[in-house]
Amino acid sequence: DVKVTQSSRYLVKRTGEKVFLECVQDMDHENMFWYRQDPGLGLRLIYFSYDVKMKEKGDIPEGYSVSREKKERFSLILESASTNQTSMYLCASSPGTGHGYTFGSGTRLTVV
Amino acid sequence: QKEVEQNSGPLSVPEGAIASLNCTYSDRGSQSFFWYRQYSGKSPELIMSIYSNGDKEDGRFTAQLNKASQYVSLLIRDSQPSDSATYLCALLGGYQKVTFGTGTKLQVIP
């Protein structure tokens, strides 16, 4: 089975800190995604990548950046964490367009 | 109108009954449709994909797609308490972007 691993299950960070969320998949998937999930708002796409060193903005990219230096790893960066970035962050991967996603277990980030 | 609409629920069904979950969408260009199950505190898990009009069955699950009416549904036969979860509808629309609904919470009562 495809495994998508997110480095942390829970994180607490202070306002203004730079935060790194790591995601690694082990099945050579082309596509990787970062979502945040908030009650009542559902899953919202932050950034995605269809290839190494490639990135595309999703629906809510403000305050975030990403890095994909290797095919299996997709990192989400919060440049200067703010309290409104407190959320569940979900990484996902898929083998290609039109395929369903495999999600990681999520990182619950709290910014205080 | 939201791109993907689902009744938030909760939808309560007795154990052994058929649970029917519905989803409507606005983008007529949508090509691929997915159902995910999300247990409380867990991440979504893909349970069904459907790409053409009609029914697709997988065990106790049946996905139904009607592109003309712009709806997709998920039927769960012989519902079990372990099916209690939030079910997310998702679709691949224009610009190759996947959009998720906010989910329907299903409660199966023993």
Side-chain angles (χ1 to χ4, degrees), chain B residues 44-84:
Chain B
E45 172 193 13
L46 179 68
I47 55 172
M48 291 287 284
S49 306
I50 186 166
Y51 303 99
S52 55
N53 280 329
D55 295 359
K56 179 181 178 183
E57 188 174 316
D58 184 0
R60 295 186 297 112
F61 298 97
T62 299
Q64 300 175 318
L65 175 60
N66 185 320
K67 290 186 178 180
S69 299
Q70 295 176 250
Y71 81 79
V72 57
S73 60
L74 179 70
L75 301 178
I76 306 174
R77 290 182 300 283
D78 188 24
S79 295
Q80 300 297 308
S82 59
D83 295 325
S84 297

Side-chain angles (χ1 to χ4, degrees), chain A residues 39 56 71 73 80:
Chain A
E56 293 285 345
K71 191 175 186 179
R73 186 180 297 270
S80 177

Side-chain angles (χ1 to χ4, degrees), chain A residues 4 13 15 22-23 41-42 44-45 47 51 67 72 76 100:
Chain A
V4 179
K13 296 292 181 181
T15 301
E22 305 288 342
C23 176
L41 297 177
R44 292 182 291 168
L45 180 63
Y47 267 96
D51 200 355
S67 172
E72 67 271 19
L76 180 69

